[in-house]
């Protein structure tokens, strides 16, 4: 992991000394590649003052990213700006669409403490999406369990297996059966 940890500690120290009203946390996540994530937490006025959000991004590029030699790791550097209050859509877009050096993510109205657990949740939510299989499974179970058909006869027409999903012939047959039921009522 090269000297990532030393670079990380140096930049954290410098940022903390320079931007006293903001809180910083830096995590290096290793999932086949190294993903560097800097969290910056504070009030919108502290980010907006003198475009501090942009200066922080520039410092990361100069004092951290420029020292990383692995090309893949160099382009997997994120800054997640956590605003304690609400910000304008214009500012959020300005930050997230800034293409200089690193990827930027904005969360506003973030009023909880920035713990390691919360930081990891944000990394999963915005960067790795490693919880997708779990989310899909839970959503699928929920959809299948909670659906109550209005007409039980219609429900009985639909095959219990998923054989109808890719079979246009079965789909057409099902539509014909539905039309027949409609005509009978």
């Amino acid at each position: 992991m090269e000297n990532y940890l030393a670079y990380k500690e140096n930049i954290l120290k410098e940022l903390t000394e320079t931007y006293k009203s903001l809180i910083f946390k830096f995590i290096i996540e290793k999932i086949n590649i190294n993903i560097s994530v800097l969290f910056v937490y504070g009030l919108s006025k502290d980010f907006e003052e003198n475009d501090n959000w942009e200066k922080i991004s520039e410092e990361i590029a100069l004092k951290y990213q420029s020292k990383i030699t692995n090309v893949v790791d160099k382009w997997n550097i994120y800054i997640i700006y956590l605003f304690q209050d609400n910000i304008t859509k214009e500012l959020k877009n300005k930050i997230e669409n800034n293409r200089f050096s690193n990827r930027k993510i904005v969360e506003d109205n973030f009023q909880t403490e920035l713990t390691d657990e919360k930081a990891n949740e944000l990394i999963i939510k915005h960067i790795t999406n490693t919880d997708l299989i779990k989310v899909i499974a839970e959503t699928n179970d929920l959809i299948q369990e909670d659906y109550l058909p209005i007409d039980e006869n219609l429900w009985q027409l639909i095959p219990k297996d998923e054989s109808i999903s890719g079979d246009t012939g079965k789909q057409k047959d099902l539509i014909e059966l539905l039309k027949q039921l409609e005509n009978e009522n």
Side-chain angles (χ1 to χ4, degrees):
M1 196 181 332
E2 296 185 22
N3 293 319
Y4 287 40
L5 298 177
Y7 304 149
K8 173 184 118 171
E9 292 306 318
N10 289 339
I11 192 71
L12 266 177
K13 182 179 177 199
E14 288 180 33
L15 289 171
T16 302
E17 289 172 1
T18 305
Y19 304 96
K20 296 187 185 313
S21 61
L22 297 170
I23 297 169
F24 297 90
K25 183 182 281 287
F26 204 138
I27 295 175
I28 299 172
E29 184 82 21
K30 184 161 182 63
I31 50 170
N32 298 328
I33 58 169
N34 293 307
I35 298 174
S36 301
V37 185
L38 174 70
F39 293 89
V40 188
Y41 180 65
L43 292 169
S44 60
K45 66 179 179 67
D46 298 320
F47 285 98
E48 292 176 282
E49 182 180 310
N50 301 317
D51 286 329
N52 284 342
W53 68 268
E54 195 167 21
K55 290 178 182 174
I56 292 166
S57 176
E58 290 168 359
E59 285 194 50
I60 292 295
L62 179 66
K63 298 174 182 174
Y64 182 78
Q65 187 173 22
S66 66
K67 296 178 180 182
I68 305 297
T69 57
N70 181 300
V71 177
V72 174
D73 293 350
K74 184 179 285 242
W75 295 110
N76 278 290
I77 298 173
Y78 295 81
I79 301 176
I80 299 181
Y81 295 99
L82 302 168
F83 291 80
Q84 290 175 312
D85 49 347
N86 288 321
I87 62 166
T88 64
K89 189 178 275 192
E90 290 78 22
L91 178 59
K92 181 176 181 172
N93 288 336
K94 183 178 179 182
I95 294 170
E96 290 186 333
N97 292 317
N98 178 286
R99 294 183 180 257
F100 177 72
S101 112
N102 42 57
R103 298 172 189 178
K104 296 154 200 77
I105 298 164
V106 173
E107 281 266 339
D108 67 346
N109 204 23
F110 188 86
Q111 298 177 357
T112 60
E113 184 181 349
L114 181 57
T115 61
D116 287 341
E117 183 180 331
K118 267 294 178 200
N120 285 327
E121 287 175 16
L122 289 166
I123 289 171
I124 290 169
K125 175 182 176 184
H126 290 291
I127 301 169
T128 63
N129 298 313
T130 52
D131 65 338
L132 282 181
I133 292 171
K134 179 182 173 193
V135 169
I136 290 169
E138 288 173 359
T139 304
N140 197 22
D141 291 346
L142 181 68
I143 291 169
Q144 290 178 4
E145 288 175 12
D146 289 351
Y147 181 76
L148 297 172
I150 295 171
D151 184 339
E152 193 63 36
N153 292 328
L154 290 175
W155 192 246
Q156 297 302 322
L157 293 175
I158 300 173
K160 299 290 183 235
D161 62 8
E162 295 179 13
S163 63
I164 194 167
S165 63
D167 188 333
T168 54
K170 286 184 180 179
Q171 292 171 9
K172 287 178 184 176
D173 293 342
L174 179 60
I175 291 170
E176 288 304 315
L177 285 170
L178 290 171
K179 286 179 182 176
Q180 288 174 5
L181 281 175
E182 182 182 44
N183 290 336
E184 290 174 7
N185 294 329

